[in-house]
Amino acid sequence: MRNAGLGGWPARRAQMSPNRTAFVFADRSVSYSEVHERTTRLASRLRDAGVRAGDRVAYLGHNHVAFAETLFATHLLGGIFVPLNFRLTAPEIAYMLTDSGASLLVYAPECSAVVRALPALPGLRTVVALGSPAPGETEFESWLSQGDPTPIDIPVALDDVALILYTSGTTGRPKGAMLSHANLVWNCFHMLIGVDVASTEVTLVSAPLFHVAALNQTLLPTFLKGGTSVIMPSWDVDQCYDLIEKHRVTWMFGVTAMFAAFARSPRWAHADLSSLRTLMSGGAAIPVALIRAYQERGLTFCQGYGLTETSPGATFLEAGESERKVGSAGVPVFFANVRVVRPDLTPAAVGEPGEVLVQGPNVTPGYWRNPEATAAALTEGGWFHSGDIGVLDDEGHLHIVDRVKDMYISGGENVYPAEVENVLFEHPAVAEAAVVGVPDQRWGEVGRAFVVPRAGAAVTPGDLREFLLSRLAKYKIPVYFDIVGALPKTGSGKIRKPDLRGRPLAAGTEAGTEE
């Protein structure tokens, strides 16, 4: 087989384990042999539509088996897959389709209104609908079924670009991070090493697949090993409990908001979670109090650290260290290197905050058609500047402190919002918290906390301030507290802090004193 990339995986898996279940979606199970046949037929239809090596194929929709089929079919032809955030508006989607130069779009019914609102895009030649197509569009299933099942073997090199993943766009226009087939393969190796992924793995894919973690940390490693991916269309706490019990799920990934909601459920205390072997989180530091809640439930909780640009795994805390090093993001994954440096790029001392740099075969070759951004992010030797602040302890474990851009300076002292959020999360009435720096005439900047109370709980700014006083230095305690119903989030579940910084101080926002 001349295809060294992901496009060859369905054929290889079908040869090794044809009758094993690759995907479960709703009441449907799909074997590896079926995945191979369907992706081959779909690839032939993409080829008929003019897709060639290097061409971009976009997908817009909730998690679905068709997402994986479109990815593998695109890679079978040597094309580049562009997963899009289904929470975005038509102008945002139009920008990404134009910037990537996508010639074909597959979309799901829940995104039909957005697709209908797209302006005319000259480069977008074919639009395929999973649901009822509009005039000029094609219906996915009937189109696929008419495809040619004859095997396709087009040369694809590991260094060829496989994905363009657009960043969340929390500041300015989103950038398209390129990931090669080699990036994805090496990341899978890291997961197989760090999690001991088994051929009998039953993985719950509950985070959005357009996000690098759900795709590269769960679905692809599970497929590579011949396990089963149980795909949730979107996150739902009760459905998560149901699927874990029904399919005896062994492994799942989530972000803080997902794991917090799961632990707040009335089902938490009594649900049968005995099948779960590994729970995994990454993307942002997760409060230690939340990790402890899972450990007290008898569950193994492993945290990692990474970014879209690192495919994403850069560090990982393996199960054996998950209790002793709780709160740590672990050590560098097996084939990568991680440094923590000062602004002059000299190594930070043990316990000294600095920027996290990552080097290895999992690191992006750069940003799509954006050489300036690539040059700014990648320094000599292929070190990627993460923009995150971390510290290394005396055993080389990484602890993520915050984003460089989220840190603020109050009265000459650095304040890391993630530290304050961690402490706020320990309050029994707090479900979620986000802290940002806001201008202050006296101190330069002070903290403003946005707090979501737990269901049925009441909390006041005074309660929170009193709680923090015995736990944090006074300069770290927010001056303003907003009690809110929800926090704005990106498609990957991260809190959109620029949205919070832009909110004017409103009635009910309580200010304290700074000493």
Side-chain angles (χ1 to χ4, degrees):
M1 184 178 291
R2 296 179 297 167
N3 190 327
L6 271 65
W9 286 17
R12 296 176 192 275
R13 259 290 142 219
Q15 190 173 46
M16 295 177 71
S17 52
N19 298 319
R20 281 193 211 155
T21 299
F23 303 122
V24 173
F25 182 80
D27 295 324
R28 176 185 171 205
S29 295
V30 186
S31 70
Y32 279 100
S33 62
E34 289 176 296
V35 173
H36 173 41
E37 180 186 348
R38 286 177 60 83
T39 55
T40 302
R41 288 182 182 275
L42 180 56
S44 79
R45 300 304 277 150
L46 297 177
R47 184 177 56 193
D48 292 344
V51 174
R52 298 293 184 268
D55 288 347
R56 279 74 63 202
V57 173
Y59 185 97
L60 178 65
H62 289 175
N63 291 355
H64 195 283
V65 174
F67 180 103
E69 292 171 339
T70 307
L71 175 145
F72 286 126
T74 300
H75 292 155
L76 195 51
L77 299 174
I80 300 172
F81 186 63
V82 186
L84 300 172
N85 181 345
F86 56 76
R87 297 186 178 100
L88 299 180
T89 63
E92 292 169 308
I93 294 297
Y95 169 79
M96 294 176 183
L97 290 171
T98 301
D99 184 69
S100 66
S103 61
L104 190 144
L105 170 67
V106 177
Y107 77 94
E110 63 272 10
C111 299
S112 58
V114 169
V115 173
R116 304 287 186 272
L118 290 173
L121 301 173
L124 188 63
R125 300 191 300 268
T126 307
V127 177
V128 183
L130 289 179
S132 300
E137 298 178 353
T138 302
E139 195 275 320
F140 183 86
E141 279 298 330
S142 60
W143 192 59
L144 181 152
S145 67
Q146 296 166 25
D148 185 352
T150 304
I152 296 171
D153 187 20
I154 290 173
V156 177
L158 280 171
D159 287 336
D160 290 347
V161 176
L163 302 177
I164 299 174
L165 292 159
Y166 281 89
T167 58
S168 299
T170 54
T171 56
R173 286 288 199 182
K175 301 188 294 288
M178 297 183 290
L179 295 181
S180 68
H181 291 274
N183 290 155
L184 304 179
V185 169
W186 282 105
N187 185 80
C188 284
F189 291 166
H190 290 151
M191 280 292 91
L192 268 56
I193 293 168
V195 181
D196 290 335
V197 183
S199 60
T200 55
E201 208 76 61
V202 180
T203 305
L204 185 63
V205 181
S206 51
L209 278 169
F210 66 77
H211 178 52
V212 66
L215 176 60
N216 296 358
Q217 298 287 82
T218 57
L219 188 142
L220 289 180
T222 303
F223 194 96
L224 182 61
K225 280 293 289 187
T228 299
S229 290
V230 179
I231 300 174
M232 291 179 66
S234 57
W235 171 248
D236 178 86
V237 172
D238 280 328
Q239 187 186 21
C240 184
Y241 276 102
D242 292 342
L243 291 174
I244 289 171
E245 294 183 3
K246 179 179 180 180
H247 297 289
R248 305 298 294 164
V249 168
T250 60
W251 181 28
M252 68 176 284
F253 167 89
V255 296
T256 300
M258 293 165 63
F259 281 122
F262 191 76
R264 290 198 305 268
S265 168
R267 300 173 64 172
W268 168 254
H270 306 293
D272 180 3
L273 304 178
S274 60
S275 64
L276 285 170
R277 187 169 63 90
T278 307
L279 299 171
M280 188 172 71
S281 183
I286 192 162
V288 172
L290 182 58
I291 297 175
R292 291 288 190 203
Y294 278 82
Q295 291 176 338
E296 290 166 5
R297 185 69 167 75
L299 298 168
T300 300
F301 199 105
C302 297
Q303 188 171 198
Y305 164 74
L307 309 100
T308 298
E309 292 89 342
T310 58
S311 302
T315 68
F316 192 70
L317 182 67
E318 293 193 3
E321 296 288 327
S322 61
E323 291 203 22
R324 188 177 74 89
K325 286 290 187 177
V326 62
S328 161
V331 297
V333 291
F334 201 88
F335 295 102
N337 300 304
V338 174
R339 299 168 57 200
V340 176
V341 300
R342 302 181 180 113
D344 63 1
L345 300 185
T346 58
V350 169
E352 178 187 359
E355 186 182 7
V356 179
L357 273 57
V358 184
Q359 179 201 58
N362 53 314
V363 172
T364 176
Y367 295 103
W368 177 255
R369 293 177 176 171
N370 195 335
E372 295 82 8
T374 300
L378 289 165
T379 58
E380 187 176 353
W383 288 94
F384 178 78
H385 284 255
S386 71
D388 290 322
I389 299 172
V391 297
L392 290 174
D393 66 19
D394 58 0
E395 295 182 277
H397 280 70
L398 179 68
H399 298 255
I400 296 299
V401 178
D402 221 325
R403 292 286 296 167
V404 169
K405 66 182 180 223
D406 287 344
M407 184 199 80
Y408 64 91
I409 301 174
S410 186
E413 298 282 357
N414 291 352
V415 180
Y416 301 103
E419 178 188 11
V420 184
E421 293 159 2
N422 256 313
V423 178
L424 279 169
F425 197 89
E426 294 175 6
H427 192 288
V430 173
E432 291 185 90
V435 175
V436 298
V438 295
D440 182 81
Q441 289 188 347
R442 181 180 179 189
W443 301 105
E445 291 179 290
V446 295
R448 182 180 181 188
F450 294 83
V451 174
V452 179
R454 289 183 182 273
V459 67
T460 68
D463 296 335
L464 297 172
R465 189 174 297 110
E466 187 67 27
F467 182 79
L468 295 178
L469 276 169
S470 62
R471 293 167 171 83
L472 291 172
K474 286 186 177 179
Y475 72 86
K476 298 179 182 179
I477 296 173
V479 168
Y480 303 101
F481 290 84
D482 295 64
I483 309 301
V484 296
L487 297 172
K489 294 185 174 72
T490 67
S492 58
K494 296 179 184 178
I495 296 167
R496 296 185 65 97
K497 289 198 171 180
D499 291 5
L500 297 177
R501 292 189 193 97
R503 291 187 183 181
L505 292 172
T509 304
E510 185 172 319
T513 58
E514 181 88 15
E515 296 181 6

